[in-house]
């Protein structure tokens, strides 16, 4: 199957007018050029797939944006804490596209940590899952600026509700659309993981976000048809999931299914049947171990090994029968999985080579919150497992103060690099 970069796939269509300048301009462009294209999808309460077109998404972003302006939240700092959802994405995009500054918060954070982060980012309001209200109301007592709490998933007496705001905003004059963005003004404060010290708030502006989207389109490869679907798995409070997975796919006019919770991942993947997923090495390892455990349990592990040898032989002649031959292997993953984008840590060579033998490409990426976050991607991971690939074309990289082995600090420069740390 022929793969091109998403820039090449969209050079004469969505990118014909040039690179995107902001997320707001991106949503307006796709709604104008591909209004009826299915872009996002989620499951309803009956486990039925609900699709959202480019036109639907823009309308929801603008409706919520107008309602938030009407609430007096223009220029305010607004946090989000909750499960992955369509509502989460719309909220995030409405805020960064003209309302104020968004900060995604890990919903699993302890009360003390959540209070610390909300104070660090100067949160004036927060969107949250209703199941977090008990925690949030306790945290609010430690956060003097936090005045407004809005539930994402259902209506609760005494609190604003996303669904009500959406309906209200649809009836208001569209002041949100008239807002002219300052592309260099902070619109996201993304907290680092705290691996090497205290959590720092990284300031991202619209220019950074747009540049990161283009970096992704320059390096991510895919087929240019309706089979190019993905499933959102990683928590949306991580910079990778929205900025480097969901937004670039929207920018390329691709359909992304939203998995609501990690615990439902294997159930939902069978329903959505994606071709692409973005995960971390731990999940990739789990997939690979599960495949062999299932084969051994069914007494088919020896047959699977023979099939792999056959596929290796046929691949030398340019033939790929993996998905046909290993139909049972693919069934737990929906049947269509062909590409896994992986980041967040080193890959296990055995996992990479093993999944590739079964017809699943693993693409190794590297990023860091301060860089937007994408830095590089290795689209040929199977040939060089440990490499993080080449830097995105619009980034400059160098190794500072290398030792005799060439080991030093990786330095990155370019338009996606964050403004700095908040305060």
């Amino acid at each position: 199957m022929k793969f091109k970069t998403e820039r090449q796939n969209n050079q004469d269509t969505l990118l014909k007018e040039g690179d995107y300048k902001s997320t707001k301009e991106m949503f307006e462009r796709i709604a104008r050029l591909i209004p009826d294209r299915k872009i996002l999808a989620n499951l309803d309460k009956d486990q039925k797939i609900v699709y959202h077109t480019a036109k639907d998404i823009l309308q929801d972003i603008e409706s919520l944006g107008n309602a938030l302006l009407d609430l007096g939240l223009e220029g305010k700092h607004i946090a989000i804490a909750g499960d992955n959802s369509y509502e989460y994405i719309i909220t995030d995009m409405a805020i960064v596209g003209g309302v104020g500054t968004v900060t995604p918060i890990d919903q699993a954070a302890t009360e003390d940590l959540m209070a610390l982060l909300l104070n660090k980012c100067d949160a004036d309001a927060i969107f949250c899952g209703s199941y977090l209200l008990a925690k949030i109301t306790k945290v609010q007592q430690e956060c003097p600026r936090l005045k407004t709490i809005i539930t994402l998933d259902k209506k609760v007496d005494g609190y604003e509700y996303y669904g009500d705001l959406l309906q209200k905003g649809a009836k208001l004059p569209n002041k949100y659309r008239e807002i002219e963005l300052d592309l260099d003004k902070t619109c996201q404060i993304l907290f680092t993981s705290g691996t090497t010290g205290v959590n720092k708030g990284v300031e991202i502006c619209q220019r950074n976000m747009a540049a990161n989207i283009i970096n992704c389109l320059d390096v991510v490869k895919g087929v240019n048809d309706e089979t190019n679907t993905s499933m959102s798995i990683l928590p949306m409070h991580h910079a990778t999931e929205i900025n480097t997975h969901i937004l670039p796919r929207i920018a390329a006019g691709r359909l992304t299914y939203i998995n609501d919770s990690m615990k439902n991942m294997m159930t939902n993947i069978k329903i959505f049947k994606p071709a692409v997923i973005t995960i971390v090495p731990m999940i990739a390892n789990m997939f690979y171990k599960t495949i062999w455990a299932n084969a051994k349990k069914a007494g088919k592990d020896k047959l699977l090994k023979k099939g792999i040898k056959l596929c290796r032989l046929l691949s030398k002649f340019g033939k790929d029968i993996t998905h046909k031959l290993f139909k049972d292997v693919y069934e737990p993953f929906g049947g269509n999985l062909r590409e896994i984008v992986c980041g967040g840590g080193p890959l296990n060579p055995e996992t990479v080579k093993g999944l590739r033998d079964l017809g699943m490409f693993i693409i190794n990426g590297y990023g860091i919150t301060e860089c937007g976050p994408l830095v590089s991607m290795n689209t040929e991971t199977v040939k060089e497992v440990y490499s993080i690939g080449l830097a995105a074309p619009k980034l400059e990289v160098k190794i500072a103060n290398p030792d005799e082995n060439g080991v030093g600090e990786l330095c990155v420069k370019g338009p996606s690099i964050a403004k700095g740390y908040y305060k």
Side-chain angles (χ1 to χ4, degrees):
M1 190 173 287
K2 184 70 173 176
F3 291 92
K4 294 182 179 180
T5 67
E6 289 290 39
R7 175 183 285 282
Q8 292 171 329
N9 286 331
N10 287 280
Q11 193 66 56
D12 298 322
T13 52
L14 293 177
L15 295 179
K16 191 174 183 179
E17 300 172 11
D19 290 349
Y20 298 110
K21 301 298 187 295
S22 68
T23 58
K24 184 177 182 181
E25 186 261 340
M26 179 187 77
F27 284 108
E28 290 173 350
R29 191 189 300 186
I30 66 167
R32 172 167 48 85
L33 297 178
I34 51 170
D36 299 319
R37 180 84 59 84
K38 295 173 182 176
I39 299 295
L40 293 171
N42 60 281
L43 295 176
D44 64 15
K45 295 178 180 179
D46 298 318
Q47 297 295 289
K48 302 294 183 183
I49 301 177
V50 178
Y51 293 96
H52 308 273
T53 66
K55 179 174 59 180
D56 296 333
I57 294 168
L58 178 63
Q59 181 179 329
D60 287 347
I61 289 173
E62 292 184 340
S63 294
L64 184 60
N66 284 314
L68 295 179
L69 295 176
D70 189 65
L71 270 181
L73 292 176
E74 183 173 6
K76 301 296 185 180
H77 289 203
I78 307 171
I80 312 177
D83 287 330
N84 285 11
S85 66
Y86 174 74
E87 293 79 9
Y88 194 120
I89 297 170
I90 296 300
T91 300
D92 194 311
M93 291 301 101
I95 297 168
V96 302
V99 174
T101 302
V102 73
T103 298
I105 301 287
D106 183 357
Q107 63 176 327
T110 63
E111 290 178 14
D112 288 344
L113 178 57
M114 187 171 285
L116 177 67
L117 297 180
L118 290 172
N119 281 323
K120 271 191 174 185
C121 71
D122 289 329
D124 301 291
I126 185 169
F127 279 82
C128 67
S130 59
Y131 49 89
L132 291 172
L133 280 174
K135 179 191 286 189
I136 299 296
T137 50
K138 286 183 181 179
V139 166
Q140 189 180 20
Q141 298 172 24
E142 306 298 324
C143 303
R145 284 185 57 149
L146 186 61
K147 304 298 183 185
T148 305
I149 299 176
I150 305 168
T151 56
L152 276 168
D153 54 336
K154 67 179 181 180
K155 189 170 184 173
V156 178
D157 289 342
Y159 298 95
E160 297 284 354
Y161 168 50
Y162 169 95
D164 290 343
L165 292 177
L166 207 63
Q167 291 183 7
K168 180 181 179 182
K171 299 173 183 177
L172 292 170
N174 201 342
K175 294 181 180 179
Y176 182 87
R177 182 176 291 187
E178 299 170 4
I179 293 174
E180 290 190 18
L181 295 181
D182 178 349
L183 301 184
D184 295 308
K185 184 178 180 180
T186 300
C187 63
Q188 283 184 327
I189 297 175
L190 305 177
F191 281 110
T192 58
S193 60
T195 305
T196 58
V198 296
N199 305 84
K200 297 181 288 292
V202 177
E203 292 190 71
I204 302 288
C205 65
Q206 278 287 347
R207 198 180 302 279
N208 300 147
M209 293 185 73
N212 185 72
I213 289 170
I214 295 302
N215 285 343
C216 294
L217 298 185
D218 279 334
V219 298
V220 172
K221 295 182 179 181
V223 293
N224 195 21
D225 59 35
E226 67 280 357
T227 66
N228 188 347
T229 65
S230 78
M231 184 169 107
S232 171
I233 294 176
L234 299 179
M236 289 181 181
H237 71 271
H238 286 293
T240 297
E241 190 53 35
I242 286 186
N243 286 16
T244 301
H245 178 201
I246 294 172
L247 287 181
R249 287 192 59 80
I250 291 173
R254 306 300 179 199
L255 173 61
T256 301
Y257 297 103
I258 302 166
N259 176 56
D260 57 348
S261 172
M262 291 291 285
K263 68 177 183 289
N264 298 328
M265 177 178 63
M266 295 311 294
T267 298
N268 291 345
I269 202 170
K270 290 181 182 180
I271 298 172
F272 292 138
K273 307 182 190 307
V276 183
I277 56 172
T278 298
I279 55 177
V280 292
M282 179 181 69
I283 299 177
N285 293 337
M286 182 268 287
F287 280 3
Y288 185 56
K289 289 178 181 178
T290 299
I291 288 170
W292 280 103
N294 288 343
K296 190 171 184 179
K297 186 177 180 181
K300 295 182 178 180
D301 50 327
K302 291 183 179 179
L303 191 62
L304 186 56
K305 290 177 182 178
K306 290 181 180 179
I308 288 172
K309 288 182 180 179
L310 175 61
C311 288
R312 284 175 181 168
L313 177 63
L314 292 176
S315 68
K316 294 179 181 180
F317 300 94
K319 292 185 178 182
D320 183 359
I321 63 168
T322 51
H323 277 66
K324 291 182 179 180
L325 190 61
F326 304 133
K327 187 177 179 180
D328 291 346
V329 168
Y330 279 87
E331 191 275 331
F333 307 102
N336 298 321
L337 189 62
R338 61 170 180 252
E339 189 174 304
I340 297 173
V341 181
C342 208
L347 285 167
N348 182 334
E350 180 186 352
T351 298
V352 174
K353 294 171 183 176
L355 289 177
R356 181 64 191 94
D357 281 337
L358 296 168
M360 297 184 197
F361 273 102
I362 291 192
I363 296 174
N364 191 19
Y366 172 74
I368 185 170
T369 308
E370 290 87 340
C371 292
L374 181 71
V375 174
S376 65
M377 190 165 288
N378 180 5
T379 55
E380 300 295 334
T381 303
V382 69
K383 295 179 181 178
E384 184 53 68
V385 175
Y386 291 109
S387 173
I388 58 171
L390 298 174
K394 289 182 173 57
L395 295 178
E396 298 176 54
V397 297
K398 71 175 182 180
I399 302 295
N401 304 315
D403 63 16
E404 64 276 10
N405 297 314
V407 177
E409 182 179 41
L410 177 63
C411 296
V412 188
K413 180 180 180 181
S416 65
I417 308 305
K419 298 171 63 177
Y421 296 112
Y422 186 58
K423 294 186 172 182

